Amino acid sequence: MRAPLCLLLLVAHAVDMLPLNRRKKQVGTGLGGNCTGCVICSEENGCSTCQQRLFLFIRREGIRQYGKCVHDCPPGYFGVRGQEVNRCRKCGATCESCFSQDFCIQCKRRFYLYKGKCLPTCPPGTAAQQSTRECQEECELGPWGSWSPCTHNGKTCGSAWGLETRVREAGRAGREEAATCQVLSESRQCPIRRPCPGESNPNQKKSGRDRRPRKDRKLDGRGEGRPRPPSPQP
């Protein structure tokens, strides 16, 4: 009777130790030595469940994978919140970083970003910007505007040659595209022939500048204009 009783006690003790061993695995250090933010963490696979608001990031090492709880997903991944677990999912093959599986923010080398997609070449109507690796909408210029008033040294009056300018802005373009479009302008010389307030007309001929009183005129050799001598008295 003693042998079966001892065996029964050993089995009962082993069953009691199982939850303790499980709890030790849940709070173990894991493969990377960090189970911060984990609810369940094992030495073999790291975190499998994270605290609320944290994302579960699965890092693969060969045939093994290791879980880690992070506040923000690393570059090349985006966060997806679920009812049970928030996970980090990998971006597309051409995305360096992304907002979702279908919307890239930055592309890898040899690709250009256009409306959330990473393309090997920019589509028609766009130009590749090497500095930003983006496809920029080409500007469609509108008609020329009217000529500005002719000015010289900031004045629109006087008698001088001035300049008048007109501009040509982007026609059909969105607000963001129009902000980067180059505005064309051209200038040409123009004559200013308009008196300023308080000044005489520069075009008016001074017809009376050589006129002098009759008494100041020089007399010609025939004596015209000379006063006649008085008549002799009878």
Side-chain angles (χ1 to χ4, degrees):
M1 290 293 294
R2 290 182 178 180
L5 182 59
C6 291
L7 181 61
L8 183 61
L9 292 175
L10 290 174
V11 171
H13 179 71
V15 171
D16 292 337
M17 292 295 295
L18 285 176
L20 180 60
N21 292 334
R22 284 182 182 175
R23 287 194 296 271
K24 287 182 180 180
K25 284 187 177 182
Q26 289 178 358
V27 297
T29 58
L31 183 62
N34 184 8
C35 282
T36 304
C38 298
V39 176
I40 299 177
C41 185
S42 65
E43 295 182 359
E44 295 80 10
N45 298 320
C47 296
S48 59
T49 304
C50 298
Q51 296 177 4
Q52 192 176 8
R53 297 183 179 181
L54 297 182
F55 292 94
L56 177 62
F57 171 59
I58 303 297
R59 186 178 73 248
R60 289 175 172 79
E61 298 177 353
I63 60 174
R64 299 184 62 185
Q65 64 180 20
Y66 174 75
K68 184 179 180 180
C69 296
V70 295
H71 290 275
D72 299 304
C73 295
Y77 292 81
F78 65 97
V80 178
R81 296 192 179 276
Q83 294 182 353
E84 297 182 359
V85 181
N86 303 324
R87 297 182 180 274
C88 292
R89 297 192 180 276
K90 193 172 182 60
C91 298
T94 58
C95 290
E96 187 72 25
S97 60
C98 62
F99 180 75
S100 65
Q101 187 68 37
D102 300 323
F103 197 93
C104 294
I105 300 175
Q106 186 178 1
C107 299
K108 293 183 178 180
R109 295 183 60 183
R110 299 191 299 273
F111 291 92
Y112 296 92
L113 182 65
Y114 180 68
K115 295 184 177 180
K117 303 291 183 181
C118 291
L119 307 175
T121 57
C122 291
T126 62
Q129 300 293 324
Q130 299 297 333
S131 59
T132 59
R133 309 294 300 177
E134 296 180 359
C135 297
Q136 177 67 51
E137 295 280 354
E138 292 182 349
C139 298
E140 182 177 339
L141 297 176
W144 285 102
S146 302
W147 289 101
S148 66
C150 189
T151 59
H152 176 74
N153 293 334
K155 298 173 61 177
T156 59
C157 60
S159 178
W161 284 95
L163 286 177
E164 57 185 1
T165 306
R166 66 177 181 175
V167 297
R168 188 179 185 184
E169 298 181 350
R172 189 182 64 186
R175 182 177 300 177
E176 296 181 358
E177 289 80 4
T180 59
C181 290
Q182 182 179 5
V183 178
L184 301 180
S185 64
E186 63 178 0
S187 301
R188 66 182 182 184
Q189 283 190 330
C190 53
I192 301 176
R193 295 290 184 269
R194 189 165 64 89
C196 294
E199 297 180 359
S200 60
N201 191 341
N203 294 326
Q204 184 179 2
K205 294 182 178 180
K206 298 181 180 180
S207 57
R209 62 183 177 181
D210 294 333
R211 291 184 179 179
R212 296 178 181 176
R214 191 176 186 86
K215 63 181 180 180
D216 294 336
R217 286 188 177 182
K218 292 183 180 180
L219 302 179
D220 56 16
R222 295 178 298 179
E224 293 181 2
R226 293 180 179 178
R228 295 181 180 181
S231 302
Q233 297 293 330

